Amino acid sequence: MPDVLIAPSVLSADFARLGEALVGLEEAGADWIHLDVMDGQFVPNLTFGPPVIRAMRPHSRLPLDVHLMIVEPDRHLEAFAGAGADAITVHVEACPHLHRTLSAIRALGKRAGVALNPATPVDGLAYVREVLDHVLVMSVNPGFGGQAFIPAVLPKVAALRELASLAGPPLRIAVDGGVDAATTPAVVAAGADVLVAGSAVFDAPSLAAGIQALRHAAGGVQAQR
Ligand code: DX5
Ligand code: ZN
């Protein structure tokens, strides 16, 4: 398992060819597949839900990390787990009972993640550390691919490294939004170990070239870990 994982988001793929995109990403060396679920309420955009994930599942052996940008995620956890998710990431802003939600995800046998909007602080996550497998730091306001990276969120990544040292399952720290070869060095230097990237992978000359460019940009960076 490499130090820094590359998790391409199929939000930037051709939605009529999601199966092919998954096969191509695995061949191109992706580590995780990032699936952006949007409900038109928590975020202004709509994408796909459990039936589409169920249809994608047989096309990849890679872990599927489902990023739920939806209100009331608790109502749908079982459906996403049953559709083949390996990890389920909920937004803290959508979860008044975060400890209960994360515990429910882990009880389904899935990795539990929390996503933080750019304006959301890290405070409070220490209290759910025992049921937390990863944190997704949003470096754009969620809803769309291809937005500009917000560097002001990076101090949160450093703060999360301290959280990682507290008792609990091994903690991965992911950054999502505007991650490309230019922004990756700062992201990795801050201590992130999962790079989520949509347009940087799918707009590259090939999926392999896009993933390699991110790995290259991450390589050799002195990380705060
Ligand atoms: C944004 C999504 C991201 C998005 C990233 O709401 O959560 O995962 O796909 O796209 P890029 O890498 O193009 O910013
Ligand atoms: Zn995402």
Side-chain angles (χ1 to χ4, degrees), residues 39-223:
D39 68 351
Q41 202 171 346
F42 181 73
V43 289
N45 200 2
L46 284 160
T47 54
F48 48 79
V52 176
I53 293 175
R54 187 182 296 279
M56 280 191 260
R57 177 70 278 185
H59 296 277
S60 181
R61 287 162 299 190
L62 297 178
L64 301 182
D65 179 24
V66 177
H67 176 193
L68 294 182
M69 287 162 274
I70 66 175
V71 297
E72 299 185 51
D74 305 72
R75 295 174 52 198
H76 305 285
L77 297 177
E78 252 184 82
F80 283 105
D86 297 287
I88 299 179
T89 304
V90 293
H91 267 266
V92 62
E93 304 86 3
C95 294
H97 308 290
L98 185 62
H99 191 284
R100 175 184 292 154
T101 304
L102 296 173
S103 302
I105 295 170
R106 299 188 105 239
L108 289 164
K110 310 301 175 187
R111 291 171 51 92
V114 167
L116 305 174
N117 279 338
T120 303
V122 167
D123 314 3
L125 291 188
Y127 307 112
V128 298
R129 175 67 183 92
E130 59 179 357
V131 285
L132 190 57
D133 293 290
H134 64 265
V135 180
L136 185 68
V137 175
M138 294 307 302
S139 40
V140 297
N141 292 295
F144 304 95
Q147 301 183 82
F149 182 79
I150 302 172
V153 305
L154 284 179
K156 284 197 267 187
V157 176
L160 286 167
R161 293 275 29 130
E162 285 185 35
L163 188 76
S165 66
L166 301 179
L171 190 77
R172 285 269 177 192
I173 300 172
V175 173
D176 183 9
V179 173
D180 59 18
T183 53
T184 284
V187 169
V188 173
D193 55 10
V194 182
L195 302 175
V196 177
S199 40
V201 171
F202 281 90
D203 295 351
S206 69
L207 297 176
I211 290 170
Q212 274 315 312
L214 292 171
R215 279 206 202 288
H216 183 76
V221 176
Q222 203 60 43

